[in-house]
């Protein structure tokens, strides 16, 4: 099944809608970028990680990469060690278990929702987006390469 949409420029774009059973064994996933905002008053940020949640696979994962040179270009006084520690904490919460601290007993969805809730001025989650994937772990890596590195 498909829908046709006419855009302002007059071109026709076709959007395919996948019905249940036609997804090729792909599951819905959600993701959000982790952004470092070294000086909130300036509003500048760099992408430093990605959070991925797939309910069907009970998966929540994070991959991070801090480009120190880009960070220091925005703010030479940035607390690089503190930011790295915060990014590491996000990865530990995703992993669950004892390393997750208070979130150790929470399911994957609850940990994801907790991580996308704004709580810091320096390390901020972006908006949540959705997609389809057959492998949420590989999707996490793909999004890190595409959107962060």
């Amino acid at each position: 099944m498909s829908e046709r949409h006419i855009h302002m420029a007059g071109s026709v774009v076709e959007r395919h809608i996948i019905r249940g059973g036609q997804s090729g064994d792909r599951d819905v996933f959600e993701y959000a970028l982790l952004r470092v905002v070294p000086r909130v008053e300036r509003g500048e940020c760099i992408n430093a990680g990605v959070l991925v949640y797939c309910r069907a696979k009970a998966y929540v994962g994070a991959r991070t990469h801090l480009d120190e040179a880009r960070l220091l270009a925005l703010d030479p006084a940035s607390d690089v060690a503190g930011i790295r520690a915060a990014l590491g904490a996000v990865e530990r919460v995703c992993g669950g278990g004892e390393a997750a601290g208070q979130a150790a007993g929470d399911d994957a969805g609850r940990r994801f929702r907790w991580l996308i809730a704004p709580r810091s001025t320096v390390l901020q989650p972006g908006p949540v987006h959705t997609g389809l994937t057959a492998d949420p772990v590989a999707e996490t890596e793909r999004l890190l390469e595409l959107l962060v590195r």
Side-chain angles (χ1 to χ4, degrees):
M1 173 180 222
S2 67
E3 293 180 359
R4 292 185 182 268
H5 297 277
I6 300 174
H7 288 271
M8 296 289 284
S11 63
V12 175
V13 176
E14 195 165 300
R15 183 178 75 180
H16 298 281
I17 299 172
I18 298 172
R19 291 187 179 173
Q22 295 178 341
S23 65
D25 295 327
R26 296 186 300 168
D27 296 304
V28 173
F29 74 97
E30 299 173 68
Y31 73 95
L33 288 170
L34 293 173
R35 298 174 176 158
V36 176
V37 184
R39 293 180 56 192
V40 175
E41 69 277 10
R42 292 184 59 137
E44 300 167 329
C45 66
I46 61 169
N47 294 341
V50 64
L51 295 166
V52 173
Y53 169 58
C54 180
R55 180 178 177 191
K57 304 278 190 204
Y59 171 82
V60 65
R63 291 284 288 127
T64 62
H65 171 78
L66 182 61
D67 186 333
E68 204 172 306
R70 288 178 68 196
L71 174 63
L72 294 173
L74 291 179
D75 182 11
S78 291
D79 179 6
V80 176
I83 293 167
R84 284 195 189 282
L87 290 169
V90 168
E91 290 191 30
R92 287 190 299 278
V93 168
C94 284
E98 288 183 28
Q102 290 179 310
D106 292 341
D107 63 31
R110 190 171 172 99
R111 289 195 314 272
F112 178 74
R113 299 286 174 239
W114 186 78
L115 288 167
I116 62 168
R119 69 179 40 82
S120 168
T121 56
V122 176
L123 183 58
Q124 300 179 6
V128 176
H129 305 280
T130 60
L132 294 172
T133 186
D135 184 352
V137 176
E139 194 67 40
T140 307
E141 289 295 327
R142 185 187 77 80
L143 290 170
L144 181 75
E145 290 298 320
L146 180 68
L147 304 171
V148 178
R149 290 195 176 176

